[in-house]
Amino acid sequence: MPITRSEMEKILGPVDNQMATEILSVGASAEELARALFWVNSDEAFVNEGAHMPTGKVAELIEILESAEMEDEYRPGAAPVPEA
């Protein structure tokens, strides 16, 4: 079953509307989002162990999370930045 905004924020914390829309458009489940977040937070360890990059929806989610992280829109594990 596709993830809801509420489930997404339980996994990621607060996200902006653009990122939420991108994630929801993938049609992934909460489990797939959790796996993608785990990969983003541990990718170097997985690569060093010879793990293969995930495919499908998990790979799409990884791309979204990494792109947002690079743009400082989202930092896994970081406290949300208060809006002015």
Side-chain angles (χ1 to χ4, degrees):
M1 178 184 333
I3 194 168
T4 64
R5 174 86 185 240
S6 174
E7 292 171 321
M8 177 191 323
E9 291 194 341
K10 285 179 184 175
I11 295 168
L12 300 176
V15 296
D16 64 28
N17 287 336
Q18 179 181 347
M19 184 173 171
T21 300
E22 288 181 47
I23 291 171
L24 293 171
S25 73
V26 173
S29 67
E31 179 184 337
E32 289 168 319
L33 179 58
R35 286 193 343 225
L37 181 61
F38 187 74
W39 179 274
V40 167
N41 288 330
S42 307
D43 64 346
E44 187 174 323
F46 288 142
V47 170
N48 289 340
E49 291 177 6
H52 297 284
M53 180 73 176
T55 60
K57 292 178 182 179
V58 175
E60 290 181 60
L61 292 168
I62 289 169
E63 187 174 316
I64 292 168
L65 294 173
E66 287 180 339
S67 174
E69 188 177 39
M70 290 182 70
E71 295 173 7
D72 271 341
E73 294 173 9
Y74 172 70
R75 289 170 284 151
V81 177
E83 294 184 23

